[in-house]
Amino acid sequence: MRQSLLGATVVDVPFVDLAIVHEPIKGRLLERFAALIDSNAFLNGPPVAEFEKAFAGYCATGHCVGLASGLDALRLGLLAGGLEPGEGVIVPANTFIATVEAVTQAGGRPVLVDVREDDWNLDAEAAAEVSSDASFVIPVHLYGQMADMEKLSALGLTVIEDACQAHGAERDGIRAGTAGVAAAFSFYAAKNLGAMGDAGALVTDDEALAETVRALREHGQRRKYEHELPGYTGRLDTIQAIVLLEKLPLLDGWNELRAKAAAYYLQELEGIGDLKLPEPVPGSRHVWHLFVVRTADPDGLAAHLADRSIASGRHYPQPVHLSRAYSSLGYGPGSFPVTETLAAECLSLPIYPGVSLEQLQAVVTAVRSYFDG
């Protein structure tokens, strides 16, 4: 909060404020970091296994394998799940590019499918039309809302969930991480459960798959210098495991704070201008990694907010199929109408644990002023 040149109070609203979530655990983290320095157990230290056990329990799965990123979790999950070179993998067109990168890095062939207008997640009916061209499907639980796993699981394909934005989410009584043969989570710093850098994990009930991923993450070895598979360097660093261990007990509480902030937005932004608000699926547990609205001119609204010291984001302004990186897939403009409309209209408003009522009010007031012109 500060004073403007005209003497009015200005409330600064960052897109994410990690200082709020770190302050309560800062002292404990420093103690554990000091102990780590003394132990020299920077790779595969005891906190890694401790976190894996804790997060598997949180997700209600039998196994968790700590990894260096959510991308590693998806890529290694596909490889351990038996993806053969050139096999098709259905992926929603509306996703962060890492979902598609995982497929190509694992040797697969991305089969993009449009998303639904209501939950913005993979359209099961559209996926069914191309299911004969694929062996795997990667549903993305976008923005914290789970995809319709009952319908997607009925496709008869191997399911690997991209739960990188859905820590703790549920739908139809199904918990994120339990609907497929495996699920990938990202612990990028701004996630609902975030490390202090890049980190990720794969969860599964399949012990053999988990053990294969453990080997793949460390040069294909199950024991040191006994390399059974062509592998990678994809370990979860001990220091990140420490951070995640301290944060995990707070995750559900943080998700509740996100839900309260989202409820405020949903109430106060209803009927303003041309805004289209997200629609949580009835009976689901949306964990609100992002609060995304739609408007005809998201860049104009973003600039208006920025002028009032309010940050916002675009997720994602360029669909994967229209990027240079994946032009070789052969899709062009008009291939996925819902995805392309979302890309043109979406704007993410500030939401994070600890965002104050005053800050939320500042966002709503600024949005109203934009449409009031």
Side-chain angles (χ1 to χ4, degrees):
M1 185 182 300
R2 54 189 171 80
Q3 297 294 117
S4 71
L5 293 176
L6 298 178
T9 299
V10 177
V11 178
D12 295 316
V13 189
F15 189 64
V16 175
D17 188 351
L18 295 178
I20 292 177
V21 300
H22 288 151
E23 186 58 36
I25 60 174
K26 183 177 179 179
R28 176 64 177 157
L29 285 174
L30 291 174
E31 290 177 5
R32 296 195 67 168
F33 292 164
L36 174 62
I37 292 171
D38 291 340
S39 73
N40 294 317
F42 305 119
L43 298 176
N44 299 327
V48 174
E50 186 182 350
F51 171 71
E52 290 174 335
K53 180 179 180 180
F55 194 64
Y58 179 82
C59 294
T61 58
H63 307 277
C64 169
V65 183
L67 296 161
S69 68
L71 172 56
D72 281 328
L74 284 171
R75 180 179 66 245
L76 300 188
L78 286 167
L79 290 169
L83 179 69
E84 296 291 339
E87 278 192 313
V89 181
I90 294 176
V91 179
N94 188 38
T95 185
F96 181 54
I97 198 169
T99 313
V100 181
E101 288 174 331
V103 175
T104 56
Q105 289 175 12
R109 176 174 47 83
V111 178
L112 300 190
V113 170
D114 213 348
V115 296
R116 294 173 55 89
E117 273 278 3
D118 53 2
D119 64 7
W120 306 347
N121 279 318
L122 185 59
D123 186 329
E125 285 74 21
E129 294 178 3
V130 296
S131 61
S132 62
D133 193 32
S135 301
F136 285 71
V137 58
I138 302 181
V140 177
H141 306 321
L142 198 67
Y143 308 146
Q145 171 72 72
M146 278 190 70
D148 189 341
M149 293 311 305
E150 288 190 344
K151 290 183 178 178
L152 290 167
S153 296
L155 294 174
L157 305 175
T158 301
V159 176
I160 295 183
E161 298 170 73
D162 182 336
C164 291
Q165 299 182 7
H167 314 68
E170 297 180 3
R171 179 169 177 171
D172 299 321
I174 301 169
R175 191 170 181 84
T178 66
V181 67
F185 286 87
S186 167
F187 305 125
Y188 178 76
K191 300 292 187 180
N192 294 45
L193 178 63
M196 290 183 172
D198 284 319
L202 179 136
V203 299
T204 181
D205 283 327
D206 187 324
E207 183 176 1
L209 189 149
E211 287 305 309
T212 298
V213 173
R214 291 185 194 282
L216 288 171
R217 73 177 175 179
E218 196 160 7
H219 305 290
Q221 62 184 14
R222 299 182 192 274
R223 287 184 292 185
K224 195 169 184 178
Y225 299 135
E226 294 184 12
H227 305 279
E228 300 178 19
L229 301 165
Y232 303 82
T233 300
R235 296 168 294 220
L236 174 65
D237 289 335
T238 305
I239 194 168
Q240 302 299 354
I242 288 171
V243 174
L244 295 168
L245 275 167
E246 291 297 321
K247 289 185 173 183
L248 182 57
L250 305 175
L251 175 57
D252 284 341
W254 287 340
N255 283 345
E256 289 175 7
L257 292 175
R258 287 176 180 271
K260 289 179 180 178
Y264 180 85
Y265 278 146
L266 290 171
Q267 175 179 308
E268 298 298 322
L269 294 175
E270 178 66 32
I272 295 179
D274 70 346
L275 284 185
K276 295 180 181 178
L277 304 180
E279 300 179 10
V281 175
S284 69
R285 186 187 186 202
H286 195 315
V287 294
W288 300 104
H289 172 59
L290 295 171
F291 189 92
V292 181
V293 300
R294 294 170 59 181
T295 182
D297 185 11
D299 291 328
L301 177 55
H304 181 83
L305 295 176
D307 287 343
R308 288 150 183 79
S309 301
I310 297 169
S312 60
R314 296 291 309 280
H315 301 87
Y316 302 96
Q318 183 187 65
V320 174
H321 68 284
L322 299 182
S323 69
R324 287 184 61 189
Y326 284 102
S327 60
S328 61
L329 295 179
Y331 302 110
S335 296
F336 306 109
V338 179
T339 290
E340 291 171 33
T341 299
L342 291 172
E345 296 181 350
C346 279
L347 183 70
S348 303
L349 301 180
I351 191 166
Y352 51 88
V355 62
S356 69
L357 177 59
E358 188 174 26
Q359 289 173 315
L360 294 172
Q361 289 171 336
V363 175
V364 171
T365 297
V367 171
R368 285 177 175 160
S369 71
Y370 173 77
F371 287 105
D372 288 343

